Amino acid sequence: MALIKVTAANALPSVRQLIADCRKVGADAGALPTTECINRGLDGLDAFCAGRHLDVEMVRVGAVGSDTAGRVAAWVGAGLTAQHVTGETPGLIVVERPGSFALRVCSRAAVPGLPLAAGAPRAPILLVVSLLGASDEATRAAVDAAAQDRPLVFVIGPPLPAVEEIHRRVVARAQACERLISTTLSEDGLGAFLSSPPWDGRIEVLRAQSAAAGIESLVTAFTLGLEAQTRETRVRRQVAQQRLARFQSKGPSATPSATPAELLSAVKSRVQRMFSEFERGAADRLQELLGYPAGSLMREIDERLNAFSELDHEERAGKLATRVPPAFEQELGKSIRERVGRHLMADVVAINDLFRLLGQEIERMLAEAEGPPVVLNFDYLTEERVRKLLVAYASFQSSYRGEMARPGFEEYFASVRKYAMLLVMGASMFGLSSYVRLYREYTIPITVMLVLFGTASVVSSTRTERAENMERELEAARASMRPELKRILSDIQKQWTTTLTQYLAEQSPAILELVDGAFKAHQVRRESAVVPERDRLQRQVQALDALDKRLPLTTKARDAFSTSLAQVKSDLRQALTAPPAPAAAARPATAAAQPSSSAGAAASGAAAAAAAAAAAAQAAAQAPSPARERMAALQAKMAEARGAAQAGGAAGGDKGEPAALSPARQKLEALKAKLAASKGGTPAAPAAEAKPESAKPSQGTGQS
């Protein structure tokens, strides 16, 4: 892009030219990781430049009251409410207004580190609304970052020292800053401010600066994509060169780096090692579950057996037959099947994961040996095999059978009768049987008391004896069930270990056979395809070399574009702060306002000639194209003719001759018409209309 002087008149066209140049640099660079993001950002900037929106960013420092928010909203313009200012209603709000621009306002809190999307135009106008100032360093840093290099900033708040501190910090960072008191804001004050001189002529400069900030972020994204592309290109070229070097060092009969025998030996060793490690791990885990007596399942079974307190009874002649309740047997067997089943299914899942890892490991080994990609098909274990094992070996049925005394009236009567015979037996033992019959009034009550005491004693002792018998039978049942449960768990452990060993032993030969066949077939194909592969690698290396050589050119183009962007941003900053041109500079001073002497007319003509020459020099500096050079030459000639016409008009006035008939003035008007035609935008008719106007001073001078 040609470095031209950017002014308020050509600010947006210059930025749009920058957008086109950025698009061209991106197209020349090719496909980068950030190309899509850059193109999307450029399209958005094109649409922004073609519109009429002027972005306004409002930053709230601390809480903003509803009254202040309402005054700020009214000051910004109709359509903005207090809820938008306080952030209760998020999003962009468009404030339409008559004229060449419409405000697009967004409000946010002063948050540090707020990201901005690449290619998004940065709002040129910043409103900092603060009632109490910045209370912490993070908020002050956020306000500083928001005001950094901002074209126009308004600090709105009460006349407090904390707010004045914010104003001082913003003035040091922004290009232009205005301080407003929040209680003296008027309606539509922002629009009136931007519509009045000198800001009415700087609207396009503000929009151009907003777009330039978006272009700068796209340049950063382009740089990141270019660096990533450079690294990727160099890595790919290095890999391709290494592979090509192997081909060239081994010649046309290039073969893989390992023979089939070596590869099969390595694969077999790896498979056996992984299978043996898995078998040991599975056996250790199963021992932790089913081992006796420290296994977790065996401990749970012991707890269940210790809590077992009820037997089934079957009445027989004089006795009760006891056995373990079927419900307890079923519950215990179900518990064993569930726990063991969950463990075995976990082993099945682990085996399947082992096969997947083994497949990945074999693929890696084949890739290192430059072998073929092999898809290993394993015979995976299923849940059905585990279910069959549990049904066959996890069925529990106790072999315990016991007997107990049958409770009844006979048992109590026989025991009580012993107590009733104590008196008779004692009397007969000492030869006092006659006294028993003689003193019945004593012996009968004593006998009754003995019977009552015997009844109470028999009842108590019988209950105790029954409890002891029940506990003895329960212990016998537990002792009978423990060996059976131990046998079941031991059988499950042995059978599952045998199943895993046989299963893994069946898989190993199938894997080796598949790898051997695939590697030998690939070796045959490789020997017949060495030359095409080498040619392909050579073409790939050449393409990567060309791409690597093109990247420095892209970097230079990026640097040149960055220089142009920096120049445009500097010119825009100068155009924003430059004083506006006076209205009288658009047209040279007429001779009517000058003294009637010839010396004054000559001085006026010289000044006009100098101003025209300066304008021509500025135009030539702005655009060194042939059309601009011709325009500058015509402007210089016009200035000379205007000076001569003014001098001649003054002299003719002294003699009483009309200045409109001066040949110099006629030549001046012809040059003005030619200049208008060269610009291409002004017809010749206005120049003809300007002729009587320019002739008035001469006529007035002649009359005087």
Side-chain angles (χ1 to χ4, degrees), residues 666-703:
Q666 293 178 359
K667 185 178 180 180
L668 172 64
E669 299 302 331
L671 287 174
K672 290 171 72 175
K674 189 175 181 181
L675 176 61
S678 66
K679 289 183 178 179
T682 306
E689 294 175 357
K691 180 176 179 180
E693 181 180 353
S694 61
K696 290 179 181 178
S698 298
Q699 293 174 2
T701 305
Q703 291 173 358

Side-chain angles (χ1 to χ4, degrees), residues 377-561:
N377 295 321
F378 298 99
D379 183 15
Y380 293 102
L381 278 176
T382 60
E383 186 180 354
E384 185 64 27
R385 197 161 183 175
V386 175
R387 187 181 296 108
K388 290 180 179 179
L389 186 144
L390 293 176
V391 170
Y393 294 94
S395 298
F396 171 69
Q397 187 173 5
S398 175
S399 59
Y400 162 76
R401 296 293 183 273
E403 290 183 353
M404 292 178 59
R406 181 177 179 181
F409 178 75
E410 296 83 0
E411 180 183 7
Y412 290 100
F413 182 77
S415 299
V416 171
R417 188 178 58 180
K418 296 177 183 178
Y419 286 92
M421 295 298 294
L422 283 177
L423 182 61
V424 177
M425 292 174 64
S428 63
M429 183 182 301
F430 294 102
L432 301 176
S433 300
S434 59
Y435 290 99
V436 173
R437 291 190 296 272
L438 182 61
Y439 298 100
R440 291 181 180 178
E441 64 274 11
Y442 298 105
T443 57
I444 291 175
I446 293 173
T447 302
V448 171
M449 291 177 63
L450 289 174
V451 169
L452 294 176
F453 174 76
T455 302
S457 177
V458 166
V459 170
S460 177
S461 62
T462 302
R463 290 179 180 176
T464 303
E465 184 179 359
R466 286 180 183 175
E468 292 176 354
N469 292 337
M470 178 61 71
E471 185 62 29
R472 185 169 53 254
E473 294 299 327
L474 288 174
E475 189 61 32
R478 296 189 189 103
S480 174
M481 287 188 288
R482 280 193 179 92
E484 182 68 17
L485 293 172
K486 180 181 177 182
R487 182 193 62 79
I488 291 174
L489 298 182
S490 178
D491 291 345
I492 293 175
Q493 185 175 3
K494 292 178 181 178
Q495 186 63 29
W496 181 245
T497 303
T498 304
T499 301
L500 286 181
T501 303
Q502 293 177 354
Y503 174 72
L504 295 178
E506 293 172 358
Q507 296 298 315
S508 181
I511 295 173
L512 296 177
E513 183 180 358
L514 182 61
V515 172
D516 185 26
F519 194 83
K520 289 180 179 179
H522 175 71
Q523 186 176 4
V524 173
R525 293 194 303 269
R526 184 184 178 87
E527 291 177 354
S528 62
V530 168
V531 175
E533 178 67 14
R534 184 180 57 194
D535 295 341
R536 185 188 69 81
L537 288 175
Q538 289 177 349
R539 290 192 300 269
Q540 184 178 2
V541 170
Q542 292 173 359
L544 292 174
D545 287 339
L547 180 60
D548 192 34
K549 292 178 181 178
R550 192 180 65 185
L551 289 175
L553 301 178
T554 305
T555 304
K556 290 181 180 179
R558 188 271 319 272
D559 295 340
F561 179 80

Side-chain angles (χ1 to χ4, degrees), residues 628-694:
R628 292 283 185 179
E629 292 176 357
R630 289 198 303 272
M631 183 179 69
L634 289 175
Q635 286 180 347
K637 290 181 180 180
M638 184 180 69
E640 294 176 0
R642 183 181 289 112
Q646 290 177 356
D654 293 339
K655 296 178 182 180
E657 297 177 359
L661 300 178
S662 173
R665 186 164 297 280
Q666 293 178 359
K667 185 178 180 180
L668 172 64
E669 299 302 331
L671 287 174
K672 290 171 72 175
K674 189 175 181 181
L675 176 61
S678 66
K679 289 183 178 179
T682 306
E689 294 175 357
K691 180 176 179 180
E693 181 180 353
S694 61

Side-chain angles (χ1 to χ4, degrees), residues 170-494:
V170 170
V171 167
R173 290 165 175 80
Q175 301 177 25
C177 181
E178 297 289 336
R179 176 71 172 93
L180 301 177
I181 306 301
S182 57
T183 57
T184 61
L185 297 176
S186 61
E187 293 187 3
D188 198 21
L190 179 58
F193 179 87
L194 296 175
S195 300
S196 60
W199 292 100
D200 57 345
R202 299 174 180 174
I203 299 300
E204 298 301 319
V205 178
L206 293 176
R207 300 183 68 245
Q209 283 193 328
S210 179
I215 297 175
E216 188 175 13
S217 64
L218 290 180
V219 171
T220 303
F222 181 83
T223 301
L224 295 176
L226 188 61
E227 292 175 354
Q229 182 71 19
T230 302
R231 291 192 299 268
E232 181 183 359
T233 301
R234 291 176 181 174
V235 171
R236 290 176 58 192
R237 184 180 63 178
Q238 185 178 4
V239 172
Q241 287 176 347
Q242 291 176 355
R243 298 186 63 184
L244 183 61
R246 286 200 297 268
F247 274 102
Q248 293 175 350
S249 62
K250 296 179 182 180
S253 59
T255 57
S257 58
T259 62
E262 295 174 350
L263 181 63
L264 281 179
S265 177
V267 171
K268 182 178 180 180
S269 175
R270 185 63 57 85
V271 169
Q272 290 178 350
R273 181 174 62 83
M274 296 182 70
F275 282 0
S276 62
E277 290 178 355
F278 181 81
E279 288 180 10
R280 286 197 300 270
D284 292 342
R285 292 192 302 272
L286 194 60
Q287 179 66 23
E288 292 176 359
L289 177 69
L290 305 180
Y292 183 84
S296 59
L297 181 58
M298 196 63 200
R299 290 197 300 269
E300 292 181 7
I301 291 175
D302 284 339
E303 292 176 359
R304 284 177 174 267
L305 291 179
N306 292 332
F308 175 63
S309 60
E310 185 179 356
L311 292 172
D312 275 0
H313 303 83
E314 182 180 355
E315 294 183 359
R316 293 183 182 178
K319 293 186 178 295
L320 290 178
T322 58
R323 62 185 300 272
V324 178
F328 180 78
E329 294 177 349
Q330 294 176 2
E331 182 182 357
L332 191 59
K334 181 180 178 182
S335 176
I336 294 174
R337 287 192 295 271
E338 288 179 354
R339 283 296 306 278
V340 176
R342 286 198 300 268
H343 182 86
L344 299 186
M345 285 306 302
D347 283 350
V348 170
V349 174
I351 290 175
N352 297 337
D353 294 339
L354 172 67
F355 286 158
R356 283 191 287 270
L357 292 176
L358 182 61
Q360 296 175 2
E361 186 69 15
I362 293 176
E363 290 178 1
R364 185 188 63 79
M365 296 174 63
L366 290 175
E368 292 178 354
E370 300 180 7
V374 178
V375 179
L376 300 177
N377 295 321
F378 298 99
D379 183 15
Y380 293 102
L381 278 176
T382 60
E383 186 180 354
E384 185 64 27
R385 197 161 183 175
V386 175
R387 187 181 296 108
K388 290 180 179 179
L389 186 144
L390 293 176
V391 170
Y393 294 94
S395 298
F396 171 69
Q397 187 173 5
S398 175
S399 59
Y400 162 76
R401 296 293 183 273
E403 290 183 353
M404 292 178 59
R406 181 177 179 181
F409 178 75
E410 296 83 0
E411 180 183 7
Y412 290 100
F413 182 77
S415 299
V416 171
R417 188 178 58 180
K418 296 177 183 178
Y419 286 92
M421 295 298 294
L422 283 177
L423 182 61
V424 177
M425 292 174 64
S428 63
M429 183 182 301
F430 294 102
L432 301 176
S433 300
S434 59
Y435 290 99
V436 173
R437 291 190 296 272
L438 182 61
Y439 298 100
R440 291 181 180 178
E441 64 274 11
Y442 298 105
T443 57
I444 291 175
I446 293 173
T447 302
V448 171
M449 291 177 63
L450 289 174
V451 169
L452 294 176
F453 174 76
T455 302
S457 177
V458 166
V459 170
S460 177
S461 62
T462 302
R463 290 179 180 176
T464 303
E465 184 179 359
R466 286 180 183 175
E468 292 176 354
N469 292 337
M470 178 61 71
E471 185 62 29
R472 185 169 53 254
E473 294 299 327
L474 288 174
E475 189 61 32
R478 296 189 189 103
S480 174
M481 287 188 288
R482 280 193 179 92
E484 182 68 17
L485 293 172
K486 180 181 177 182
R487 182 193 62 79
I488 291 174
L489 298 182
S490 178
D491 291 345
I492 293 175
Q493 185 175 3
K494 292 178 181 178

